[in-house]
Amino acid sequence: MEVTKPDAARLESSHRWPFFLPDGKHFLYLAANFSGQFDKNVILLGALDSSEKRTIVSSDSNPAYAEPGYLLYRRDNALVAQRFDPKTCALTGEPRAISDEVQYFPQTDLALFGVAGKEALVTQTGRGADKSQLTWFNRNGGTTGAIGTPGAFANPSISQDGRRLAFEQTDRDGRHIDIWIHELATNGTTRFTLGLVARR
């Protein structure tokens, strides 16, 4: 049975990461927008026994409720906690930053954290952990040099004449992927005009 349905008029592309409140009927979830207007992403309140749909707060990640009354979500690149009444489903006060080191996957709008009870919060750190380095290796497995600086690279491919290297590189916002061509002889790099949007 379909419980929620994305609203195209509100630029909702997907509903994801549901989290049930203590009453077992109401739940929080992320209404994600993949049109490029990421400021439209919001956490919504839904219910199993009605078509209720209420905006709780702007966020770009999964929500979680923690006793004795806090909503955890991601804002301004940090995991925050804000007072939340599970009976009225209302936020009060200002959000307080917990950590800006929580691993976040912008392609799926997922921050890696979980809560249980009043005292348990688990997070996976990893800001910048997705970086890699394009590196030359010899036939014995030893490194002989590197190309450029560390970044978020994928799918490197050398041209048949051995003069060019093509690879994908993810932008700093983590939401867009571009194809780059590196001229190995001159050590120059050019970005393709073709941009690929990371699909989620």
Side-chain angles (χ1 to χ4, degrees):
M1 178 179 79
E2 188 178 65
V3 179
T4 71
K5 185 175 182 179
D7 185 350
R10 296 172 54 155
L11 302 178
E12 296 174 5
S13 304
S14 170
H15 288 169
R16 54 186 58 199
W17 317 127
F19 191 98
F20 275 92
L21 295 177
D23 66 5
K25 295 180 180 179
H26 290 86
F27 58 93
L28 301 165
Y29 61 98
L30 179 69
N33 140 55
F34 300 145
S35 68
Q37 300 182 51
F38 304 114
D39 59 321
K40 303 292 185 185
N41 289 1
V42 294
I43 293 173
L44 297 176
L45 173 73
L48 293 178
D49 56 358
S50 76
S51 59
E52 181 180 3
K53 180 179 180 178
R54 188 195 334 163
T55 299
I56 300 298
V57 69
S58 295
S59 178
D60 61 1
S61 81
N62 45 307
Y65 171 77
E67 295 288 1
Y70 289 93
L71 177 64
L72 279 71
Y73 59 98
R74 191 172 180 271
R75 169 178 279 185
D76 298 329
N77 300 318
L79 179 65
V80 301
Q82 188 171 359
R83 278 286 185 183
F84 180 79
D85 186 332
K87 294 181 179 178
T88 63
C89 297
L91 288 169
T92 56
E94 293 296 321
R96 292 184 144 188
I98 296 175
S99 173
D100 63 355
E101 296 288 340
V102 176
Q103 179 76 55
Y104 174 66
F105 295 102
Q107 295 86 357
T108 55
D109 290 331
L110 177 65
L112 297 185
F113 72 95
V115 297
K118 295 182 178 181
E119 300 178 357
L121 166 65
V122 62
T123 68
Q124 178 176 324
T125 59
R127 186 174 64 176
D130 57 347
K131 289 187 177 181
S132 55
Q133 175 73 61
L134 293 170
T135 306
W136 290 111
F137 290 86
N138 60 30
R139 293 183 182 274
N140 297 322
T143 60
T144 61
I147 298 173
T149 58
F153 303 112
N155 301 315
S157 179
I158 299 177
S159 63
Q160 289 186 351
D161 61 11
R163 296 181 178 180
R164 296 178 182 86
L165 173 69
F167 54 88
E168 296 175 5
Q169 184 170 9
T170 305
D171 288 347
R172 288 185 178 181
D173 66 5
R175 298 183 183 277
H176 300 87
I177 300 173
D178 296 310
I179 298 174
W180 292 77
I181 301 294
H182 184 86
E183 300 286 344
L184 297 173
T186 62
N187 223 17
T189 306
T190 304
R191 177 164 57 180
F192 250 60
T193 54
L194 171 64
L196 301 179
V197 176
R199 300 298 179 188
R200 300 165 228 194

